Amino acid sequence: LCFSKYIFDNKLIRKNNFNVIFSNAIYNIEKENSEFILNMGAPNYNNAMLHINDSIDSFGRVLKIDDANITFYSLYLGDIHTIIIVDDFNLDVINKKDLIINNKLFEAKTNLHYVKIIDKNNIELNSFDKNCNYLLSSVGGAAAALIVLNKLRLVYKNITVNFKYGNIKAEIKKDKIYVKGNALKIFECEFKEEI
C-alpha cells in the first residue's frame, strides 16, 4: 500500500490500476478514492515454496522451542509467512520470535505474525520480518492471517486487521485475497549514492 501511494502521489502512472511484479508473483493494485486495493492472489502451502525440506504438511505444525510446543501455520503469499495464534501479546512465545524466524526448519527464514482474535470480524497483529524487525504494518501478514483464521473457521471472509498504528481491511473473494487500506507519508529525503 505504501508503494501504491508513492506511485500515485508522484504521478508515475495515469491509470487507477496497475500491475506490480514481485518476486514470482504479479499483483494488481487499484486506487479507490484515497485507499488502495491489492489483489494478492491465492496462497500456496507447498513446502518447496516455503523452503521447508520435508514432507510434513506445514499447515498446523508444532515446533518445539526450548520447552514449549508452538503451533504455527505457514503459507506462501509473495513471501513466506508464518502465523501463530495467541491470547495475549505479553506471552513468552513472543520473546521466542528470533528462535522461530531463524529455526533450521525455515531454510529461507520466515516473516512471523502473532495474531490475537478480537471477534469474527476483527483481529490484532504483531508482525516481524525475516530479520526479526518489528513491523508497524504488514499487508502480507494481514492477508496470511485472514487465510489461516478463515480456514480454521475462526473469522469471517472479510475482516479488519488492527496494528498498533492503524488497520487494513482483508477479504477473501473466490479464493483470492484482497487487502485494502491507505498509507501516510511520514518522511522524505534525497539520497545520493557515492562510488
Side-chain angles (χ1 to χ4, degrees):
L1 301 178
C2 295
F3 175 72
S4 307
K5 181 170 178 60
Y6 178 84
I7 291 293
F8 283 104
D9 283 358
N10 290 283
K11 298 178 177 39
L12 300 176
I13 196 162
R14 299 187 193 282
K15 300 186 298 182
N16 272 347
N17 67 65
F18 61 97
N19 290 330
V20 176
I21 299 170
F22 177 78
S23 186
N24 61 353
I26 298 175
Y27 297 135
N28 180 261
I29 298 172
E30 180 181 345
K31 184 175 184 194
E32 184 180 89
N33 301 317
S34 65
E35 294 188 309
F36 304 97
I37 302 168
L38 173 60
N39 176 353
M40 298 194 70
N44 188 323
Y45 304 101
N46 185 301
N47 280 359
M49 290 296 289
L50 299 171
H51 297 275
I52 293 175
N53 193 16
D54 65 27
S55 60
I56 300 170
D57 185 2
S58 290
F59 192 85
R61 286 180 79 146
V62 174
L63 192 61
K64 187 167 179 83
I65 302 288
D66 295 334
D67 292 330
N69 290 323
I70 301 168
T71 302
F72 69 93
Y73 305 87
S74 292
L75 56 93
Y76 184 89
L77 195 64
D79 203 352
I80 302 166
H81 296 277
T82 295
I83 302 295
I84 296 176
I85 302 167
V86 297
D87 295 325
D88 185 352
F89 289 129
N90 295 321
L91 293 175
D92 188 43
V93 69
I94 305 289
N95 296 327
K96 298 183 188 305
K97 69 180 182 321
D98 295 23
L99 298 173
I100 297 167
I101 291 169
N102 294 303
N103 191 281
K104 66 182 179 180
L105 178 69
F106 300 109
E107 294 177 353
K109 296 191 177 184
T110 183
N111 296 288
L112 182 60
H113 312 281
Y114 293 101
V115 180
K116 180 179 172 186
I117 301 168
I118 307 302
D119 56 41
K120 291 227 176 213
N121 295 302
N122 298 279
I123 65 171
E124 291 181 15
L125 205 62
N126 273 357
S127 296
F128 299 87
D129 68 13
K130 292 180 177 184
N131 295 314
C132 304
N133 297 310
Y134 176 71
L135 301 172
L136 295 178
S137 178
S138 172
V139 170
L146 170 59
I147 293 164
V148 168
L149 298 178
N150 183 260
K151 193 169 180 173
L152 295 171
R153 298 181 185 206
L154 299 173
V155 298
Y156 296 127
K157 290 188 175 191
N158 189 344
I159 65 170
T160 299
V161 182
N162 297 286
F163 295 92
K164 189 171 184 179
Y165 296 107
N167 61 59
I168 294 173
K169 303 284 185 190
E171 183 175 6
I172 300 172
K173 291 185 201 173
K174 297 181 182 175
D175 296 328
K176 291 190 177 174
I177 312 306
Y178 295 82
V179 291
K180 179 179 182 179
N182 201 343
L184 178 65
K185 181 178 176 180
I186 58 172
F187 178 73
E188 183 175 342
C189 72
E190 289 187 22
F191 175 76
K192 182 178 178 184
E193 184 176 359
E194 294 186 16
I195 298 176

